[in-house]
Amino acid sequence: MANTNDIEKIVIPTEGIGSVPRTADLMTAQHNYRDGRINLGRLNDYYKRATQLTIEELENTGSPIITDGEQTKPSFLTYPIFELFDEYYKFTSDCFALKFADGHKRLLPRLIKAPFRYAIYAHSYIDAAKQITKLPIKQAVITPSALSMIYPKATIRGYSHEQFLNDLIVESERDIRQCLDSGAYCVQLDFTEARFSLKLDPTGQLLSDFVQINNRVLDRFGFHEQHRLGVHVCPGGDLDCYHSFDVDYLQVLPTLFELHVSNFYVQLASEPNRERVLVCIRKYMKPWHRVFVGVINPIDPIVETPEQVCARVLEAANYIPVEQLGTTDDCGFSPFDDDQSTSRQIAFDKIRARVQGTHMAEEQLMMRKLKNL
C-alpha cells in the first residue's frame, strides 16, 4: 500500500470576483460629498476606513486570496474614466446601455474629446490594500471591449476609430501591467458584456469582435504572464436582477475560451441546468486553463451552506479535472457603488460558506483518491 504521506494533497483554489457592498458610513459620506456637505479629503478618509474594514472582514472569512472589495470604485465598469466625465464625455440618447430585467439601466457615456485616456489605474487599489494585508491580492479590471462602446464610430474630427482603439489597447495594457508590477496575485478582466452582446447581435459577430479586441491586449503579455490573468463572465448581477440571464450560456462559452488567458471565472450556481454548462466547459477548455466555477449566487438572499457548496464542487469535479478546478462567486456582490440590494453580512457569510465548502470538497476528493489507491 502506498505511503499516504507521499500522495499529493488536493488543493482547489477559491477566489472572490471583486466587489463587496460598501459600508453604511461610506454610502452616507458619498451622499454628503455629492451634496457639498463634506470635502474630498474627508471622503477619502471614509474610503480608507471602508477598505480597511472590508479587508479585515474578508480575512476573517478564511479567504486565502482577497480583494479590497472595490470600496473606492464608482463601478467596475467606469472606474478608469469616471473622473473625466465632465470634460471628456457626454451622456446621450444613444449611449451604450446595460438593460436589466427590472427595467433599470447602467450607461456608458460617449467620448466627445480626444484622445482617449485613463484617469485612474487599478494598481492604485492594490497599493492601498498592500498597506493593510499580507495576503495575496486579486485585482479586477474592466475589459477594453466594454470601454470600446464609448466610441463605436468616429465622431470627433481628426480622431479615427482605429486611433481610438489603439489608445484603448495601450491604456488597457498599462492598467493590467501596472497591477502585475504592483504585486497582484492575479488580474481578472470583467467581461460581463460578453453574454449581453448576444442580445444586441444574436449572430455572435459582436461577441467575436469583443474577444478580438481583448486579445489585442492580452497578446501583449507573455505566456507566463497570461497565467496570472483571468476573465470573468456572468449575466450581470445588479440590484438583485440580471441583464442577460435569458441568453443561452452555451452560445457564449465556446467563444469565451478563445481568450488568451489561463483563468476563467464562470457563473454557474444560478444556472438552472449546471450539467449542460459543465459539459460545454469540458469540451472547450484547454489543458492550461483553470476554471473557477461559481458556487455562490450573490443575488439569492439565502446564504448557501458549506455542504451545498461542497456538493456543487463535487458536481463540477465530475466534468473538470480537479487540478484545473477552482471556485468563485457567480458575480461581485455590489458592482456599482449605489447597490445596496445585498447586505454586507450576507455577502461575508456567503464568502465564508464558499471557503468552507471548498475545503470540505477537497477533503472528500482526497478520501476518494486514497480509497482508489
Side-chain angles (χ1 to χ4, degrees):
M1 183 176 177
N3 187 339
T4 57
N5 293 328
D6 296 332
I7 299 172
E8 186 176 358
K9 184 179 178 181
I10 290 177
V11 177
I12 300 174
T14 186
E15 302 175 12
I17 292 299
S19 64
V20 170
R22 279 65 172 176
T23 65
D25 285 348
L26 177 56
M27 297 289 290
T28 300
Q30 287 175 318
H31 285 300
N32 288 339
Y33 175 71
R34 285 192 286 266
D35 292 341
R37 290 195 287 267
I38 64 172
N39 61 27
L40 182 58
R42 185 66 177 131
L43 177 62
N44 284 334
D45 290 338
Y46 281 99
Y47 279 138
K48 291 177 183 177
R49 181 58 178 159
T51 299
Q52 181 173 352
L53 288 172
T54 300
I55 288 176
E56 289 174 356
E57 289 275 15
L58 286 171
E59 289 178 333
N60 289 337
T61 66
S63 297
I65 297 160
I66 63 169
T67 72
D68 67 350
E70 301 188 0
Q71 298 297 287
T72 60
K73 275 186 179 180
S75 78
F76 81 99
L77 184 61
T78 61
Y79 73 87
I81 61 174
F82 183 77
E83 292 185 4
L84 301 174
F85 273 12
D86 290 342
E87 183 180 358
Y88 278 76
Y89 294 90
K90 183 177 181 180
F91 286 94
T92 61
S93 59
D94 60 346
C95 283
F96 176 73
L98 290 170
K99 301 175 184 179
F100 290 80
D102 66 352
H104 85 273
K105 300 177 182 179
R106 297 293 189 175
L107 304 178
L108 269 178
R110 284 296 168 91
L111 183 69
I112 59 172
K113 182 178 178 180
F116 170 81
R117 65 183 179 89
Y118 280 21
I120 294 291
Y121 297 92
H123 77 89
S124 61
Y125 307 127
I126 301 173
D127 294 340
K130 285 193 301 185
Q131 305 304 311
I132 302 169
T133 185
K134 299 300 182 184
L135 288 177
I137 301 168
K138 172 182 180 176
Q139 183 59 53
V141 301
I142 190 59
T143 54
S145 58
L147 291 178
S148 73
M149 301 307 287
I150 66 173
Y151 198 65
K153 60 182 179 180
T155 53
I156 301 171
R157 179 173 296 181
Y159 194 56
S160 69
H161 185 251
E162 188 56 35
Q163 284 177 296
F164 161 73
L165 286 178
N166 288 337
D167 290 338
L168 172 62
I169 300 308
V170 168
E171 289 291 78
S172 180
E173 179 198 359
R174 181 177 294 135
D175 198 27
I176 297 169
R177 193 170 296 284
Q178 288 182 349
C179 288
L180 295 177
D181 291 344
S182 283
Y185 173 81
C186 62
V187 179
Q188 166 195 291
L189 283 74
D190 287 330
F191 193 22
T192 185
E193 72 277 11
R195 199 159 172 172
F196 185 77
S197 70
L198 290 171
K199 300 187 79 168
L200 302 177
D201 176 16
T203 70
Q205 184 57 53
L206 181 58
L207 176 58
S208 294
D209 291 344
F210 281 170
V211 167
Q212 184 178 33
I213 289 172
N214 293 334
N215 277 339
R216 283 179 63 178
V217 173
L218 296 169
D219 286 344
R220 293 176 171 227
F221 296 87
F223 189 71
H224 67 288
E225 292 173 314
Q226 290 175 357
H227 275 278
R228 293 171 63 193
L229 304 181
V231 62
H232 168 237
V233 63
C234 71
D238 180 46
L239 300 176
D240 278 351
C241 65
Y242 300 108
H243 59 52
S244 54
F245 196 69
D246 52 338
V247 173
D248 189 350
Y249 214 172
L250 269 59
Q251 295 181 29
V252 181
L253 290 171
T255 306
L256 177 72
F257 284 105
E258 294 176 8
L259 286 166
H260 300 164
V261 296
S262 292
N263 303 295
F264 293 81
Y265 304 86
V266 298
Q267 164 262 344
L268 187 63
S270 54
E271 281 296 309
N273 187 338
R274 293 192 294 271
E275 182 179 1
R276 69 191 290 266
V277 176
L278 288 165
V279 168
C280 185
I281 289 172
R282 179 174 61 186
K283 179 178 179 181
Y284 288 99
M285 67 181 295
K286 309 295 192 303
W288 58 88
H289 289 164
R290 184 181 295 277
V291 178
F292 291 78
V293 296
V295 292
I296 294 292
N297 180 2
I299 285 182
D300 186 348
I302 299 175
V303 177
E304 293 85 349
T305 66
E307 290 77 14
Q308 287 175 313
V309 170
C310 177
R312 290 171 180 175
V313 179
L314 296 177
E315 177 186 40
N318 291 327
Y319 300 90
I320 300 171
V322 174
E323 63 273 14
Q324 293 179 259
L325 180 62
T327 65
T328 188
D329 311 313
D330 274 4
C331 188
F333 288 92
S334 183
F336 296 88
D337 68 357
D338 60 352
D339 185 356
Q340 295 179 285
S341 58
T342 301
S343 74
R344 281 172 66 87
Q345 187 59 55
I346 287 177
F348 290 126
D349 286 346
K350 283 175 171 277
I351 292 168
R352 186 175 292 104
R354 167 169 51 78
V355 174
Q356 293 176 353
T358 301
H359 288 325
M360 289 175 63
E362 289 173 339
E363 293 171 357
Q364 292 197 28
L365 289 168
M366 192 66 190
M367 289 174 61
R368 290 183 189 178
K369 185 175 182 180
L370 293 173
K371 188 177 180 179
N372 291 331
L373 290 177

